[in-house]
CSV table of all heavy atoms in Angstrom, one decimal:
chain,number,residue,atom,x,y,z
A,35,ILE,N,1.9,-13.9,-13.9
A,35,ILE,CA,2.8,-15.0,-13.5
A,35,ILE,C,1.9,-16.3,-13.3
A,35,ILE,O,2.4,-17.4,-13.5
A,35,ILE,CB,3.4,-14.6,-12.2
A,35,ILE,CG1,4.4,-13.5,-12.4
A,35,ILE,CG2,4.1,-15.8,-11.5
A,35,ILE,CD1,5.1,-13.0,-11.1
A,36,GLY,N,0.6,-16.2,-13.0
A,36,GLY,CA,-0.2,-17.4,-12.8
A,36,GLY,C,-0.8,-17.8,-14.0
A,36,GLY,O,-2.1,-17.9,-14.2
A,37,ARG,N,0.0,-18.2,-15.0
A,37,ARG,CA,-0.6,-18.7,-16.3
A,37,ARG,C,0.3,-19.9,-16.8
A,37,ARG,O,1.3,-20.2,-16.2
A,37,ARG,CB,-0.5,-17.6,-17.4
A,37,ARG,CG,0.8,-17.1,-17.7
A,37,ARG,CD,0.8,-16.0,-18.8
A,37,ARG,NE,2.1,-15.4,-19.1
A,37,ARG,CZ,2.2,-14.5,-20.0
A,37,ARG,NH1,1.2,-14.1,-20.7
A,37,ARG,NH2,3.5,-14.1,-20.3
A,38,GLY,N,-0.2,-20.6,-17.8
A,38,GLY,CA,0.5,-21.8,-18.3
A,38,GLY,C,-0.3,-23.0,-17.9
A,38,GLY,O,-1.4,-23.0,-17.4
A,39,ARG,N,0.3,-24.2,-18.1
A,39,ARG,CA,-0.3,-25.5,-17.9
A,39,ARG,C,-0.7,-25.7,-16.5
A,39,ARG,O,-1.6,-26.3,-16.1
A,39,ARG,CB,0.5,-26.6,-18.4
A,39,ARG,CG,0.5,-26.7,-20.0
A,39,ARG,CD,1.4,-27.9,-20.4
A,39,ARG,NE,2.8,-27.7,-20.0
A,39,ARG,CZ,3.7,-28.6,-20.2
A,39,ARG,NH1,3.4,-29.8,-20.8
A,39,ARG,NH2,4.9,-28.5,-19.7
A,40,ASP,N,0.2,-25.2,-15.6
A,40,ASP,CA,0.0,-25.3,-14.1
A,40,ASP,C,-0.5,-24.0,-13.6
A,40,ASP,O,-0.1,-23.6,-12.4
A,40,ASP,CB,1.3,-25.7,-13.4
A,40,ASP,CG,2.5,-24.7,-13.7
A,40,ASP,OD1,2.3,-23.9,-14.6
A,40,ASP,OD2,3.4,-24.8,-13.0
A,41,ALA,N,-1.4,-23.3,-14.3
A,41,ALA,CA,-1.8,-22.0,-13.9
A,41,ALA,C,-2.5,-22.0,-12.5
A,41,ALA,O,-2.2,-21.1,-11.7
A,41,ALA,CB,-2.8,-21.4,-15.0
A,42,GLU,N,-3.4,-22.9,-12.3
A,42,GLU,CA,-4.1,-23.0,-11.0
A,42,GLU,C,-3.1,-23.2,-9.8
A,42,GLU,O,-3.2,-22.5,-8.8
A,42,GLU,CB,-5.1,-24.1,-11.0
A,42,GLU,CG,-5.9,-24.2,-9.7
A,42,GLU,CD,-6.5,-23.0,-9.2
A,42,GLU,OE1,-6.8,-22.0,-9.9
A,42,GLU,OE2,-6.8,-22.9,-8.0
A,43,ALA,N,-2.2,-24.0,-10.0
A,43,ALA,CA,-1.1,-24.2,-8.9
A,43,ALA,C,-0.3,-23.0,-8.7
A,43,ALA,O,0.0,-22.6,-7.5
A,43,ALA,CB,-0.3,-25.4,-9.2
A,44,ARG,N,0.0,-22.3,-9.7
A,44,ARG,CA,0.8,-21.1,-9.7
A,44,ARG,C,0.0,-20.0,-8.9
A,44,ARG,O,0.5,-19.3,-8.0
A,44,ARG,CB,1.2,-20.6,-11.0
A,44,ARG,CG,2.3,-21.2,-11.7
A,44,ARG,CD,2.5,-20.8,-13.2
A,44,ARG,NE,3.8,-21.1,-13.7
A,44,ARG,CZ,4.8,-20.3,-13.9
A,44,ARG,NH1,4.7,-19.0,-13.5
A,44,ARG,NH2,5.9,-20.7,-14.4
A,45,ARG,N,-1.3,-19.9,-9.3
A,45,ARG,CA,-2.1,-18.8,-8.6
A,45,ARG,C,-2.4,-19.1,-7.2
A,45,ARG,O,-2.3,-18.2,-6.3
A,45,ARG,CB,-3.5,-18.7,-9.4
A,45,ARG,CG,-3.2,-18.1,-10.8
A,45,ARG,CD,-4.5,-17.9,-11.5
A,45,ARG,NE,-4.2,-17.4,-12.9
A,45,ARG,CZ,-5.1,-16.6,-13.6
A,45,ARG,NH1,-6.2,-16.3,-13.1
A,45,ARG,NH2,-4.7,-16.2,-14.8
A,46,ARG,N,-2.6,-20.4,-6.8
A,46,ARG,CA,-2.8,-20.7,-5.5
A,46,ARG,C,-1.5,-20.5,-4.6
A,46,ARG,O,-1.5,-20.1,-3.5
A,46,ARG,CB,-3.2,-22.2,-5.3
A,46,ARG,CG,-4.7,-22.4,-5.9
A,46,ARG,CD,-5.2,-23.8,-5.6
A,46,ARG,NE,-5.2,-24.1,-4.2
A,46,ARG,CZ,-4.6,-25.1,-3.6
A,46,ARG,NH1,-3.9,-26.0,-4.3
A,46,ARG,NH2,-4.7,-25.2,-2.3
A,47,THR,N,-0.3,-20.8,-5.3
A,47,THR,CA,0.9,-20.5,-4.7
A,47,THR,C,1.1,-19.0,-4.3
A,47,THR,O,1.5,-18.6,-3.3
A,47,THR,CB,2.1,-21.0,-5.5
A,47,THR,OG1,2.0,-22.4,-5.7
A,47,THR,CG2,3.4,-20.8,-4.8
A,48,MET,N,0.8,-18.2,-5.4
A,48,MET,CA,0.9,-16.7,-5.2
A,48,MET,C,0.0,-16.3,-4.1
A,48,MET,O,0.4,-15.4,-3.2
A,48,MET,CB,0.6,-16.0,-6.5
A,48,MET,CG,1.6,-16.3,-7.6
A,48,MET,SD,1.0,-15.7,-9.2
A,48,MET,CE,1.1,-13.9,-8.9
A,49,LEU,N,-1.2,-16.7,-4.1
A,49,LEU,CA,-2.2,-16.2,-3.0
A,49,LEU,C,-1.8,-16.8,-1.7
A,49,LEU,O,-2.1,-16.1,-0.7
A,49,LEU,CB,-3.6,-16.6,-3.4
A,49,LEU,CG,-4.1,-15.9,-4.7
A,49,LEU,CD1,-5.5,-16.4,-5.0
A,49,LEU,CD2,-4.2,-14.4,-4.5
A,50,THR,N,-1.2,-17.9,-1.6
A,50,THR,CA,-0.8,-18.5,-0.3
A,50,THR,C,0.3,-17.6,0.3
A,50,THR,O,0.4,-17.5,1.6
A,50,THR,CB,-0.2,-19.9,-0.5
A,50,THR,OG1,-1.3,-20.7,-1.0
A,50,THR,CG2,0.3,-20.5,0.8
A,51,THR,N,1.1,-16.9,-0.5
A,51,THR,CA,2.2,-16.1,0.1
A,51,THR,C,1.6,-14.9,0.9
A,51,THR,O,2.2,-14.4,1.8
A,51,THR,CB,3.1,-15.5,-1.0
A,51,THR,OG1,2.4,-14.7,-1.9
A,51,THR,CG2,3.7,-16.7,-1.8
A,52,ILE,N,0.5,-14.4,0.4
A,52,ILE,CA,-0.1,-13.2,1.1
A,52,ILE,C,-1.3,-13.6,2.0
A,52,ILE,O,-1.8,-12.8,2.8
A,52,ILE,CB,-0.6,-12.1,0.1
A,52,ILE,CG1,-1.7,-12.6,-0.8
A,52,ILE,CG2,0.6,-11.6,-0.7
A,52,ILE,CD1,-2.3,-11.5,-1.7
A,53,GLY,N,-1.7,-14.8,1.9
A,53,GLY,CA,-2.9,-15.3,2.6
A,53,GLY,C,-2.8,-15.0,4.2
A,53,GLY,O,-3.8,-14.5,4.7
A,54,PRO,N,-1.7,-15.3,4.8
A,54,PRO,CA,-1.7,-15.1,6.3
A,54,PRO,C,-1.5,-13.6,6.7
A,54,PRO,O,-1.7,-13.3,7.9
A,54,PRO,CB,-0.5,-15.9,6.7
A,54,PRO,CG,-0.1,-16.8,5.5
A,54,PRO,CD,-0.6,-16.0,4.3
A,55,VAL,N,-1.2,-12.7,5.8
A,55,VAL,CA,-0.8,-11.4,6.2
A,55,VAL,C,-1.6,-10.2,5.6
A,55,VAL,O,-1.5,-9.1,6.1
A,55,VAL,CB,0.7,-11.2,5.9
A,55,VAL,CG1,1.6,-12.1,6.7
A,55,VAL,CG2,1.0,-11.3,4.4
A,56,TRP,N,-2.3,-10.5,4.5
A,56,TRP,CA,-2.9,-9.4,3.8
A,56,TRP,C,-3.9,-8.6,4.7
A,56,TRP,O,-4.0,-7.3,4.7
A,56,TRP,CB,-3.7,-9.8,2.5
A,56,TRP,CG,-4.9,-10.6,2.7
A,56,TRP,CD1,-5.0,-12.0,2.8
A,56,TRP,CD2,-6.2,-10.0,2.9
A,56,TRP,NE1,-6.3,-12.3,3.0
A,56,TRP,CE2,-7.1,-11.1,3.1
A,56,TRP,CE3,-6.8,-8.8,2.9
A,56,TRP,CZ2,-8.4,-11.0,3.2
A,56,TRP,CZ3,-8.1,-8.6,3.0
A,56,TRP,CH2,-8.9,-9.7,3.2
A,57,ASP,N,-4.7,-9.3,5.4
A,57,ASP,CA,-5.7,-8.6,6.3
A,57,ASP,C,-5.0,-7.9,7.4
A,57,ASP,O,-5.5,-6.8,7.8
A,57,ASP,CB,-6.8,-9.5,6.8
A,57,ASP,CG,-6.2,-10.8,7.4
A,57,ASP,OD1,-5.0,-11.0,7.3
A,57,ASP,OD2,-7.0,-11.7,7.9
A,58,GLY,N,-3.9,-8.4,8.0
A,58,GLY,CA,-3.2,-7.7,9.0
A,58,GLY,C,-2.5,-6.4,8.4
A,58,GLY,O,-2.5,-5.4,9.1
A,59,ASN,N,-2.1,-6.5,7.2
A,59,ASN,CA,-1.6,-5.3,6.5
A,59,ASN,C,-2.6,-4.2,6.4
A,59,ASN,O,-2.3,-2.9,6.5
A,59,ASN,CB,-1.0,-5.6,5.2
A,59,ASN,CG,0.2,-6.6,5.2
A,59,ASN,OD1,0.8,-6.7,6.3
A,59,ASN,ND2,0.5,-7.2,4.1
A,60,GLU,N,-3.8,-4.5,6.2
A,60,GLU,CA,-4.9,-3.5,6.0
A,60,GLU,C,-5.2,-2.8,7.4
A,60,GLU,O,-5.8,-1.8,7.3
A,60,GLU,CB,-6.1,-4.1,5.4
A,60,GLU,CG,-5.9,-4.5,3.9
A,60,GLU,CD,-7.2,-4.7,3.2
A,60,GLU,OE1,-8.3,-4.9,3.9
A,60,GLU,OE2,-7.2,-4.8,1.9
A,61,VAL,N,-4.8,-3.4,8.4
A,61,VAL,CA,-5.0,-2.7,9.7
A,61,VAL,C,-4.3,-1.4,9.7
A,61,VAL,O,-4.8,-0.4,10.4
A,61,VAL,CB,-4.6,-3.6,10.9
A,61,VAL,CG1,-4.6,-2.9,12.2
A,61,VAL,CG2,-5.5,-4.9,11.0
A,62,TRP,N,-3.2,-1.3,9.1
A,62,TRP,CA,-2.4,-0.1,9.0
A,62,TRP,C,-3.3,1.1,8.4
A,62,TRP,O,-3.2,2.2,8.8
A,62,TRP,CB,-1.1,-0.3,8.3
A,62,TRP,CG,-0.1,-1.0,9.0
A,62,TRP,CD1,-0.1,-2.4,9.3
A,62,TRP,CD2,1.1,-0.5,9.6
A,62,TRP,NE1,1.0,-2.7,10.0
A,62,TRP,CE2,1.8,-1.6,10.2
A,62,TRP,CE3,1.7,0.7,9.7
A,62,TRP,CZ2,3.0,-1.5,10.9
A,62,TRP,CZ3,2.9,0.9,10.3
A,62,TRP,CH2,3.5,-0.2,11.0
A,63,LEU,N,-4.1,0.7,7.4
A,63,LEU,CA,-4.9,1.7,6.8
A,63,LEU,C,-6.0,2.2,7.8
A,63,LEU,O,-6.2,3.4,7.8
A,63,LEU,CB,-5.6,1.0,5.5
A,63,LEU,CG,-6.8,1.8,4.9
A,63,LEU,CD1,-6.3,3.2,4.4
A,63,LEU,CD2,-7.4,1.0,3.8
A,64,ILE,N,-6.6,1.3,8.5
A,64,ILE,CA,-7.6,1.7,9.5
A,64,ILE,C,-7.0,2.6,10.5
A,64,ILE,O,-7.6,3.6,10.9
A,64,ILE,CB,-8.2,0.5,10.1
A,64,ILE,CG1,-8.9,-0.4,9.0
A,64,ILE,CG2,-9.2,0.9,11.2
A,64,ILE,CD1,-9.4,-1.8,9.5
A,65,VAL,N,-5.8,2.2,11.0
A,65,VAL,CA,-5.2,3.0,12.1
A,65,VAL,C,-4.7,4.4,11.5
A,65,VAL,O,-4.9,5.4,12.2
A,65,VAL,CB,-4.0,2.2,12.7
A,65,VAL,CG1,-3.3,3.1,13.7
A,65,VAL,CG2,-4.5,0.9,13.3
A,66,ALA,N,-4.2,4.4,10.3
A,66,ALA,CA,-3.7,5.7,9.7
A,66,ALA,C,-4.9,6.6,9.5
A,66,ALA,O,-4.8,7.8,9.9
A,66,ALA,CB,-3.0,5.4,8.4
A,67,ALA,N,-6.0,6.1,9.0
A,67,ALA,CA,-7.2,7.0,8.8
A,67,ALA,C,-7.8,7.4,10.1
A,67,ALA,O,-8.2,8.6,10.3
A,67,ALA,CB,-8.3,6.2,8.0
A,68,GLY,N,-7.8,6.5,11.1
A,68,GLY,CA,-8.3,6.9,12.4
A,68,GLY,C,-7.4,7.9,13.1
A,68,GLY,O,-7.9,8.8,13.8
A,69,ALA,N,-6.1,7.8,12.9
A,69,ALA,CA,-5.2,8.8,13.5
A,69,ALA,C,-5.4,10.1,12.9
A,69,ALA,O,-5.4,11.2,13.6
A,69,ALA,CB,-3.8,8.3,13.3
A,70,MET,N,-5.7,10.2,11.6
A,70,MET,CA,-6.0,11.5,10.9
A,70,MET,C,-7.2,12.0,11.5
A,70,MET,O,-7.3,13.3,11.7
A,70,MET,CB,-6.1,11.2,9.4
A,70,MET,CG,-4.8,11.1,8.6
A,70,MET,SD,-5.2,10.9,6.8
A,70,MET,CE,-5.9,12.4,6.4
Side-chain angles (χ1 to χ4, degrees):
I35 294 178
R37 60 182 180 175
R39 289 181 298 176
D40 58 344
E42 176 56 21
R44 280 173 167 256
R45 294 186 181 203
R46 291 187 61 235
T47 300
M48 293 171 69
L49 294 176
T50 298
T51 65
I52 63 173
V55 298
W56 71 269
D57 47 357
N59 293 342
E60 289 195 347
V61 171
W62 287 72
L63 169 61
I64 297 169
V65 176
M70 282 180 65

